[in-house]
Amino acid sequence: MAGNRRAARREGADASPLRLVAIAVILIGLVLVSLRLLPGSPFESSAAAKWGNAGTTTNDRSTGKPTDRSARQPAPPSPSPSPSLAPLPFAAKDLDLDIEGWYSWSVLDRRTGQIIGSRNMGETSTTASMIKSWIVADYLRRAADAGQTPSDAKLADATRIIRDSDNTRAEQFYNQVGRDASIKRLISMCKLTDSSVAPDKGWSRTALSPRDTARLGNCIATGTAAGPKWTKWLLNEMKLVRGAGDFGIRKAFPAAEQKQIAIKNGWIDRTREQEMHINCLAIGDTWTMGVMVKYPIDKGYDYGMKNCEKITEALLRPGA
């Protein structure tokens, strides 16, 4: 028995190194696997690399300091800068024209809302027929809001007001939209800052500035004034202004472009002030413009009508 025990001890002694070797091999294998899974390791696997790229913080092998692996990734390309807007056909400048009396102008960039104009663009004059563009817009929008469609006869009346500046029909529409209440809506809805109602004195005496005239034009162009249903219709009617009311701003443009510019002008002799008040509103694709002139009454209408055009010509960029 003693011999058997000595033999068992020898066998145990011979097997012990083998077990140690086996354990060592297993441990080395585990270490290697761990190294393949460790981000930043020389043995890093592709899967571990993907995990590390998700923003994992590791040690920089050159400095031993923590680094954010996401910082080593190439930055995404910067978005291309948006192209700059094409300049408007008008240039901001101080005018010194041979015009008797008072004159003022303003242009609004419909793309940005920026307004340029003469130093006195906030001063007001009476609108005369220019305000009819708002009266018709107010009537059409309110009808649509009430779920009503104007009759063909009413639309024909609106056409006469815009294209031919019919005073009798304008007065009828003005009564229907509440007279002074309509002008108060104009000031509020179109965000005018200089203008005012002429209480109980009628639409012709409404006070607008060239700056607010440009804002009125933008209010029509954006659909605020006439509403989505009737804006296109109204702008088309304003492009078809004819006869005595077809003068001023758009006449300064080439004939082919004039047909695409919507207008509504006003002209009146103010005997009480002994002045002529001539006003021009125009709406282009990217801009709106207001021009106003006042001068001695004895100079007649043509003087102011031509000066609206003269002022516009002086502001146009070469080649516009």
Side-chain angles (χ1 to χ4, degrees), residues 247-253 280-282 287 289-291 308-309 312:
F247 64 87
I249 295 170
R250 75 176 176 187
K251 291 294 187 181
F253 286 81
C280 299
L281 163 65
W287 54 270
M289 185 177 192
V291 178
C308 268
E309 181 179 346
T312 307

Side-chain angles (χ1 to χ4, degrees), residues 23-39:
I23 292 170
V25 169
I26 292 171
L27 290 174
I28 292 170
L30 291 173
V31 169
L32 290 174
V33 170
S34 299
L35 288 173
R36 283 175 60 78
L37 296 175
L38 180 65

Side-chain angles (χ1 to χ4, degrees), residues 265-276:
N265 298 321
W267 61 104
I268 193 167
D269 52 335
R270 296 291 184 199
T271 54
R272 187 174 71 193
E273 293 92 342
Q274 284 296 290
E275 291 177 338
M276 301 295 299

Side-chain angles (χ1 to χ4, degrees), residues 162-218:
I162 297 298
R163 296 191 197 182
D164 303 315
S165 209
D166 188 292
N167 288 334
T168 300
R169 290 173 172 81
E171 185 69 18
Q172 293 169 354
F173 272 52
Y174 192 55
N175 287 331
Q176 287 188 264
V177 295
R179 300 186 68 81
D180 290 353
S182 178
I183 305 304
K184 291 177 182 178
R185 283 193 296 273
L186 160 64
I187 294 170
S188 174
M189 292 180 65
C190 298
K191 296 179 172 55
L192 308 188
T193 59
D194 314 315
S195 305
S196 60
V197 180
D200 300 322
K201 294 181 180 178
W203 46 264
S204 178
R205 281 276 179 182
T206 301
L208 242 64
S209 66
R211 176 165 55 192
D212 279 352
T213 298
R215 287 170 174 153
L216 167 58
N218 191 52

Side-chain angles (χ1 to χ4, degrees), residues 57-68 72:
T57 300
T58 63
N59 287 338
D60 186 290
R61 290 194 292 273
S62 62
T63 65
K65 297 180 180 180
T67 61
D68 187 346
R72 301 209 301 266

